[in-house]
Structure formats: structure tokens, C-alpha cells
Amino acid sequence: MELRDCKFFYGGQEMSFSVFSNDPCRARYLDSISVPLVQTRVDVYRVEPGPKTRWVLIRQKGDEQDRFRLFVRQGDRFVESLEQALSKELRDEIFGRFPNLTGEFHPPLAA
């Protein structure tokens, strides 16, 4: 899947997302959805990488668990990549920039 086709949701502490990348990205607001069962609203965003961005790692929080999605630049597209398919150099760059993610990024990266 491509990053431009993904939507990310924010609904307070129960549902949120964080963006990690090698260059600043923009989270662009798209919409707000009403959730009648819990009487709250959830905001919908799209993440837009900067011109120098090579990779984007998004941590989605929800349902008491975190989910990570990694997108790597391929030309002018950002394609979702499996953690195990990453080069050692890219793994080292991500965890060098964000060392606290090493214990959270699941499944564990292949050595």
C-alpha cells in the first residue's frame, strides 16, 4: 500500500498516531467522524512527506496496542515495507534517530 492512500485517526488517548521520519512531514486534516456509541469524534488525517523524506514510520495507537507501519520512498511514491525487508543501513538510521523505538517496533527486525 502507498502512504498517499492511507488515513490515520486521532480520537484522544484511545486512538492516536505518531509520525517518525528522517525529514519533517505534514499531517493534513481531512475530516471528522462522529462515533455515536462512545459519543465522541475521531479526526481523520493524511500524512504528507517532505521533499527530502526517504522513509516514514507511523505508530498507530488504539485498542490498547500499538501498530507500526513503515513507508519507504521509491521514486516519488512511498510504499509500505515489511520490517524484515529493510536493509541494515536503513534499520540503523531509523533506530539511530529514534533509539527508544527499538523496544516497541514489532515484530522484531531480522538481524
Side-chain angles (χ1 to χ4, degrees), residues 62-78:
D63 298 333
E64 299 181 13
Q65 65 180 7
D66 291 358
R67 178 177 178 222
F68 287 87
R69 297 181 72 181
L70 176 66
F71 299 87
V72 178
R73 181 183 288 277
Q74 291 182 1
D76 60 350
R77 304 174 349 167
F78 281 82

Side-chain angles (χ1 to χ4, degrees), residues 14 20 52 84-85:
E14 292 79 28
F20 305 90
K52 297 178 185 175
Q84 291 82 2

Side-chain angles (χ1 to χ4, degrees), residues 4-17:
R4 68 178 175 205
D5 298 326
C6 296
K7 294 178 182 171
F8 302 96
F9 304 93
Y10 177 80
Q13 292 181 1
E14 292 79 28
M15 181 184 305
S16 65
F17 67 96

Side-chain angles (χ1 to χ4, degrees), residues 8-55:
F8 302 96
F9 304 93
Y10 177 80
Q13 292 181 1
E14 292 79 28
M15 181 184 305
S16 65
F17 67 96
S18 302
V19 180
F20 305 90
S21 70
N22 68 296
D23 196 57
C25 295
R26 175 186 297 208
R28 184 177 297 276
Y29 173 82
L30 298 176
D31 198 5
S32 186
I33 301 169
S34 178
V35 183
L37 292 175
V38 289
Q39 297 181 353
T40 191
R41 298 192 69 73
V42 173
D43 296 325
V44 182
Y45 293 85
R46 176 178 37 226
V47 173
E48 298 174 351
K52 297 178 185 175
T53 305
R54 293 186 312 274
W55 52 268

Side-chain angles (χ1 to χ4, degrees), residues 1 67 87 94:
M1 176 167 279
R67 178 177 178 222
S87 67
I94 292 170

